[in-house]
Amino acid sequence: GQQVMQIPQYQHVQEGEDFTTYCNSSTTLSNIQWYKQRPGGHPVFLIQLVKSGEVKKQKRLTFQFGEAKKNSSLHITATQTTDVGTYFCRYGGTSYGKLTFGQGTILTVHP
Amino acid sequence: DTEVTQTPKHLVMGMTNKKSLKCEQHMGHRAMYWYKQKAKKPPELMFVYSYEKLSINESVPSRFSPECPNSSLLNLHLHALQPEDSALYLCASSWLADPGEGYEQYFGPGTRLTVT
């Protein structure tokens, strides 16, 4: 069956350092979404990637979908304390069934 | 209006109580969801409503009973819960339900439930 790993589980960075989280699948994905959940908050949609090799940018955030559509990454340049939270991927299999949340990466930013 | 509202924000209930969680959206979305989230874990899908009909029940115990009175409202009726059911209960909505292209989900702030 489909197995998707989101890594790392935790990441501690100093403010100004870069951060990357990955979702890696054993099988091809139909699409992938990224969400951010602040401490005490609820998940907020960031982006959706559908095409092979797709790259999208939102200010300091860069999202990529691999050429084989088996992995995706979220990269934050020069982290700020406002970036603190848990980042989840939400992925769909090629059967276009329901999407599933990854385990999440908890980001801590030290000022 | 891109907001999903949920009431109450917090709920403490005993194992013999009956209570309901409420969710509302006015974005014209035709899919609504209930999720359960434990600390440091991802949201876990419970139920999906598509066009006001239950389309997915992820083998949730019958002590959780969902209801969709109309396209804007979603309820979750709780009865005879267990302490392990304590969690954050999130409601979400999207334009349409999966399967499909995958639609952006809008989440409400959640109800923090404690079962004593």
Side-chain angles (χ1 to χ4, degrees):
Chain A
Q2 182 175 65
Q3 293 204 0
V4 175
M5 291 282 294
Q6 187 172 355
I7 55 171
Q9 190 176 357
Y10 298 93
Q11 186 77 60
H12 301 264
V13 300
Q14 288 294 131
E15 191 171 17
E17 291 181 339
D18 292 356
F19 159 75
T20 306
T21 174
Y22 302 88
C23 270
N24 299 321
S25 174
S26 57
T27 58
T28 304
L29 302 173
S30 58
N31 56 339
I32 195 157
Q33 299 174 342
W34 287 94
Y35 290 78
K36 175 185 178 181
Q37 186 172 17
R38 292 180 188 272
H42 57 275
V44 174
F45 175 83
L46 296 175
I47 207 89
Q48 173 163 269
L49 305 171
V50 179
K51 298 177 185 174
S52 167
E54 193 168 13
V55 178
K56 290 188 177 180
K57 294 192 176 188
Q58 290 178 352
K59 297 182 181 177
R60 293 180 295 106
L61 277 61
T62 303
F63 305 84
Q64 295 190 50
F65 203 7
E67 292 291 341
K69 297 181 74 172
K70 287 187 175 182
N71 50 65
S72 180
S73 64
L74 184 173
H75 178 83
I76 302 178
T77 303
T79 54
Q80 300 174 358
T81 54
T82 53
D83 295 324
V84 163
T86 304
Y87 292 85
F88 293 102
C89 63
R90 182 172 174 256
Y91 55 88
T94 51
S95 61
Y96 288 91
K98 64 179 173 65
L99 277 67
T100 304
F101 278 93
Q103 290 300 303
T105 296
I106 299 172
L107 174 64
T108 305
V109 180
H110 300 284
Chain B
D1 182 5
T2 58
E3 193 181 24
V4 176
T5 58
Q6 287 188 245
T7 56
K9 284 188 168 37
H10 301 274
L11 179 61
V12 179
M13 59 186 289
M15 290 189 283
T16 58
N17 292 159
K18 284 185 182 181
K19 296 285 185 184
S20 296
L21 309 184
K22 297 186 183 303
C23 174
E24 191 166 5
Q25 58 89 14
H26 293 288
M27 294 177 277
H29 289 172
R30 304 319 300 262
M32 295 186 78
Y33 309 77
W34 281 114
Y35 287 89
K36 173 183 177 182
Q37 188 177 29
K38 292 275 203 180
K40 299 192 191 309
K41 294 291 186 185
E44 184 184 328
L45 185 64
M46 299 174 73
F47 302 104
V48 181
Y49 273 84
S50 178
Y51 288 91
E52 300 159 49
K53 286 186 168 45
L54 183 65
S55 62
I56 294 177
N57 175 343
E58 291 285 6
S59 303
V60 179
S62 60
R63 57 186 183 269
F64 296 91
S65 174
E67 179 195 19
C68 190
N70 60 53
S71 60
S72 300
L73 292 174
L74 188 66
N75 298 323
L76 186 63
H77 304 296
L78 313 172
H79 172 56
L81 294 193
Q82 304 295 309
E84 59 264 29
D85 296 322
S86 299
L88 179 68
Y89 287 84
L90 292 161
C91 173
S93 71
S94 63
W95 177 237
L96 294 174
D98 309 322
E101 295 177 356
Y103 295 94
E104 170 182 353
Q105 291 199 332
Y106 291 80
F107 283 82
T111 294
R112 180 77 57 186
L113 174 68
T114 303
V115 181
T116 60

